[in-house]
Amino acid sequence: VKAQAGILESDSAEEAGDKLCREVADAVHGEEDARWVEQRLRPLLGLAGPDEAHGERREHFAAWRRFVESLADQSPLVLVFEDLHWADEGLLEFVDHLVDWVTEVPLLVVCTARPELLARRADWGGSKPNATTISLSPLSDDETEALLDELLEQAELPIELTSTLLARAGGNALYAEEFVRMAAERGVSSDEELPVPGSVQGMVAARLDTLPPEEKAVLQDAAVIGRVFWLGAVAHLSGTPKRSLEDLLRSLERKQFVVR
């Protein structure tokens, strides 16, 4: 909703409310209907008062669906829900509701999730018309090794390290990518032995350990703000001058820890 209405994290509540009002008025026909939809979208943006934030879930779902249908009625619409294995029950129920009820508009819903989602919702997507599930199997050792060769370009890993890495990666492409980033930071030709953690989380932690203290501190301050952060907020938390902070963030961007 924020993206569709052009709402920025730096917008005030009043600015965000104005943008939402204009977007809903453009999308939903009828002043009364538009007002009904807007009131039930406001809680998603943190703009609702106590009375608006609480209400029957079915009515909120209906209003959100109406907004999505109105957008799709204007032009074909694609909604992407990433990492649904982290989603709370409310979001999972809304995606279910949306796919079940929307039929008359050109809408494509794409969801990505790890297999953990099926432990919570064994029938996820299986009982719905026009639904397709694509399962991605782990990479084979040959495919993982080919990926490593491609990512490392001209560099070569010792045979023993490659064997250990293939065993630990278990076909996980992200693990292989994170290892290559760590190897690039340390230097694959270095005499220092490269650690081979047993999980993706361990690999990311190992990469964090290679950072200079000032860069690690910037990441910690940014993480307090959230997945999306901005320069002024990090500067305020860290007490670092903005010019120095920009240099640190550029370095972290080159190392692929953050994305502008």
Side-chain angles (χ1 to χ4, degrees), residues 39-52:
Q39 287 175 346
R40 283 150 187 82
L41 286 173
R42 288 174 65 85
L44 295 177
L45 309 181
L47 300 176
D51 294 336
E52 292 176 304

Side-chain angles (χ1 to χ4, degrees), residues 5-227:
I7 295 172
L8 307 175
E9 296 290 344
S10 55
D11 286 344
S12 66
E14 183 179 357
E15 291 171 330
D18 289 342
K19 289 181 178 180
L20 177 64
C21 181
R22 289 194 296 269
E23 177 61 37
V24 174
D26 288 341
V28 179
H29 298 298
E31 183 177 344
E32 186 175 343
D33 284 353
R35 189 182 308 112
W36 176 76
V37 170
E38 181 192 345
Q39 287 175 346
R40 283 150 187 82
L41 286 173
R42 288 174 65 85
L44 295 177
L45 309 181
L47 300 176
D51 294 336
E52 292 176 304
H54 301 288
E56 188 178 356
R57 174 174 285 184
R58 182 180 301 178
E59 190 171 352
H60 279 79
F61 282 6
W64 302 348
R65 185 186 80 238
R66 175 69 183 278
F67 180 62
V68 170
E69 286 176 325
S70 298
L71 296 177
D73 195 41
Q74 294 175 353
S75 63
L77 179 66
V78 180
L79 294 181
V80 181
F81 296 90
E82 292 186 289
D83 294 335
L84 269 184
H85 50 281
W86 295 117
D88 60 23
E89 292 301 318
L91 178 55
L92 291 178
E93 288 180 18
F94 174 66
V95 176
D96 260 339
H97 169 92
L98 183 66
V99 175
D100 277 340
W101 281 79
V102 175
T103 56
E104 301 299 326
V105 292
L107 173 68
L108 173 65
V109 179
V110 180
C111 303
T112 65
R114 291 182 55 80
E116 293 92 287
L117 176 62
L118 297 179
R120 295 168 58 188
R121 300 275 180 124
D123 60 345
W124 179 261
S127 59
K128 293 177 173 50
N130 300 322
T132 301
T133 300
I134 302 174
S135 299
L136 301 181
S137 58
L139 300 178
S140 66
D141 284 353
D142 289 342
E143 290 168 336
T144 303
E145 193 166 1
L147 176 61
L148 287 169
D149 290 342
E150 182 71 22
L151 293 172
L152 287 167
E153 296 177 344
Q154 302 300 320
E156 291 186 5
L157 296 175
I159 295 176
E160 298 82 3
L161 179 58
T162 300
S163 298
T164 303
L165 183 59
L166 292 176
R168 295 281 178 86
N172 188 319
L174 178 60
Y175 186 99
E177 289 176 336
E178 289 296 327
F179 178 85
V180 169
R181 288 170 179 168
M182 182 178 67
E185 290 157 8
R186 293 197 176 191
V188 292
S189 59
S190 172
D191 293 333
E192 180 185 1
E193 184 177 350
L194 288 172
V196 186
S199 67
V200 174
Q201 291 88 344
M203 184 66 75
V204 174
R207 288 192 62 216
L208 288 170
D209 286 341
T210 68
L211 291 175
E214 59 273 17
E215 290 184 6
K216 189 186 296 186
V218 167
L219 279 183
Q220 289 171 334
D221 290 334
V224 171
I225 300 166
R227 184 173 179 176

